[in-house]
Amino acid sequence: MSRHHLKHPPGSGQPSATATPANPAASAGAALAIPLASSLPTALITPAYGRSERAAPFREGTRRPRPTPGSWLPAEASETLLVTGFDVLRSEVERIVAATGGELRVVADATEAAPFWDSAAAVLVGSDVRELPPRRRAPAVLVGLSGEGDSLWHLATTLGAERVAVLPDAATWLAEYLSRADSPEAGGLVVGLTGGCGGAGATTAAIWIAQAAAGLGARVLLVDGDAWGGGLELALAAEESAGLRWPDLADARGSINPEQLSDALPVAGGFSFLSWPGSRDRAAVVEPSTVAGVLDAARRGYELVVVDIGRGTEPLRNFAWDCDRLLIVVPAQLKAAVATARILQELPPVETSLVVRGKAGAALDAGLIADSVGLPLQAVLPEVRGTAGATEQGRLLEVGQRRNVRRFVSSVLELFDEEGA
């Protein structure tokens, strides 16, 4: 077999855990411990910190200092606006807001909500709402109940919601989200990559983007979002690197300390990474609320978080909805363009652009693919000779130093720089 022989056969003791549903009655910021390797910190969970805003752009030679965790207490109780006519939803949210020490204003519909919309610290919209007040900012969170199924995500896309909270399972996550609503603490940019079709090259692109940003002095985290992808750590030739993997975080609850998370993660190519293990072990169950907590800590601890989302409904819902930007990687092929157009219906309402993988002289050029899909073209991912072999041999980071790859990542990083300007 190649370098990627499976290191951890069943029974080898590779860390694995199965998460239990979040406790709806848990108060925001409860200190909890999670199982870690003996050489790592014994806890990552601390009281909730402030909500993150996107950080200023990173530039070459300007490394920002690590954020210092600290407690935050609001000067006065913040008001959350809930728009719903459902009594059950109202009762669930009232209990959650009470746990955060905040205040709640409940209105029945968009007309009643209009005077309070823009001044609220956070806006929650119930799944019974079908329209928003005119010229108002989009709701932060669409809240619904277990059993409403796919309709929640379709409604969230229609309304432009940033998040979806399915209650009561997401009660703990929502409590902590609201507890951070007024924090001035700066945070990083979260960028997700997914393939428009299988084998598009999204993982390769994500690795090269993380590598290039780290080379400019930014604090970067690369996140593996695909539990069935075989382990991003294999593509980095870092399966032996000490540090946390996703199964170690499966039981995490509460707000995660960003500095301790950073210290506990492995490093390759100058950036931290969080991967699924490249082993035969059965994939651990990591709840969506845990994923949200990890990504929130990552946003507070890094300047750039690059998420290799993977494909399929579950990873898109677990990871794409927490991203500030999305990049879809698609080969310059007609069939791939059609598949990409279909996946757009599953994406959250965030800024999305296209990365076309191809080479000069291809039958379908990048501009034509972008026009057919209906997304702006951000960059062209070159067909780099020997990439597949380099991946198998653990030399993908070495290939990332090539001139044509550097041109590609520069065009992507310029987008993030312009956003923060």
Side-chain angles (χ1 to χ4, degrees), residues 96-175:
I96 293 168
V97 172
T100 71
E103 295 181 352
L104 179 67
R105 181 187 297 272
V106 183
V107 296
D109 54 38
T111 301
E112 290 185 41
F116 315 107
W117 197 283
D118 290 331
S119 60
V123 178
L124 311 180
V125 173
S127 55
D128 56 317
V129 175
R130 292 297 181 271
E131 61 180 14
L132 304 183
R135 297 182 299 280
R136 293 296 190 272
R137 61 181 169 92
V141 180
L142 174 72
V143 290
L145 299 172
S146 299
E148 294 190 75
D150 292 347
S151 63
L152 282 178
W153 275 269
H154 294 311
L155 178 59
T157 301
T158 301
L159 295 178
E162 298 173 357
R163 305 286 190 275
V164 175
V166 182
L167 302 178
D169 293 344
T172 301
W173 173 86
L174 182 58

Side-chain angles (χ1 to χ4, degrees), residues 196-197 330-342 364 368-369 372-373:
C197 63
V330 56
Q333 301 168 1
L334 177 60
K335 184 178 179 181
V338 173
T340 301
R342 290 175 178 169
L364 296 177
L368 183 59
I369 293 292
S372 66
V373 173

Side-chain angles (χ1 to χ4, degrees), residues 98-373:
T100 71
E103 295 181 352
L104 179 67
R105 181 187 297 272
V106 183
V107 296
D109 54 38
T111 301
E112 290 185 41
F116 315 107
W117 197 283
D118 290 331
S119 60
V123 178
L124 311 180
V125 173
S127 55
D128 56 317
V129 175
R130 292 297 181 271
E131 61 180 14
L132 304 183
R135 297 182 299 280
R136 293 296 190 272
R137 61 181 169 92
V141 180
L142 174 72
V143 290
L145 299 172
S146 299
E148 294 190 75
D150 292 347
S151 63
L152 282 178
W153 275 269
H154 294 311
L155 178 59
T157 301
T158 301
L159 295 178
E162 298 173 357
R163 305 286 190 275
V164 175
V166 182
L167 302 178
D169 293 344
T172 301
W173 173 86
L174 182 58
E176 298 198 8
Y177 179 91
L178 296 177
S179 73
R180 296 188 294 268
D182 280 344
S183 169
E185 182 181 347
L189 178 70
V190 181
V191 178
L193 285 86
T194 186
C197 63
T203 297
T204 299
I207 290 172
W208 286 342
I209 291 169
Q211 179 185 20
L216 294 176
R219 284 179 50 77
V220 180
L221 171 63
L222 177 63
V223 177
D224 183 358
D226 187 0
W228 305 102
L232 183 145
E233 64 182 12
L234 296 178
L236 296 171
E239 59 267 40
E240 299 295 338
S241 297
L244 294 182
R245 303 312 195 260
W246 272 115
D248 302 309
L249 294 163
D251 289 334
R253 295 292 183 270
S255 182
I256 296 176
N257 184 313
E259 186 168 339
Q260 289 184 341
L261 176 65
S262 175
D263 289 343
L265 292 176
V267 176
F271 55 87
S272 303
F273 69 90
L274 175 57
S275 176
W276 288 94
S279 71
R280 297 183 185 185
D281 292 341
R282 183 175 183 178
V285 177
V286 178
E287 296 292 335
S289 58
T290 299
V291 171
V294 170
L295 290 181
D296 178 73
R299 184 191 296 275
R300 291 182 281 130
Y302 293 87
E303 293 171 271
L304 177 64
V305 181
V306 182
V307 184
D308 178 21
I309 297 173
R311 286 175 50 80
T313 300
E314 184 175 350
L316 284 172
R317 288 180 180 174
N318 284 351
F319 291 92
W321 284 81
D322 278 301
C323 293
D324 303 309
R325 290 276 323 201
L326 291 174
L327 297 175
I328 303 181
V329 183
V330 56
Q333 301 168 1
L334 177 60
K335 184 178 179 181
V338 173
T340 301
R342 290 175 178 169
I343 204 174
L344 297 184
Q345 303 175 34
E346 303 296 327
L347 300 181
V350 301
E351 196 77 21
T352 304
S353 52
L354 208 64
V355 170
V356 176
R357 195 192 83 216
K359 56 185 177 180
L364 296 177
D365 64 18
L368 183 59
I369 293 292
D371 289 342
S372 66
V373 173

Side-chain angles (χ1 to χ4, degrees), residues 25-53:
S27 62
L32 300 173
I34 60 175
L36 305 176
S38 59
S39 61
L40 299 174
T42 57
L44 290 176
I45 310 304
T46 62
Y49 296 124
R51 182 185 178 186
S52 303
E53 300 298 337

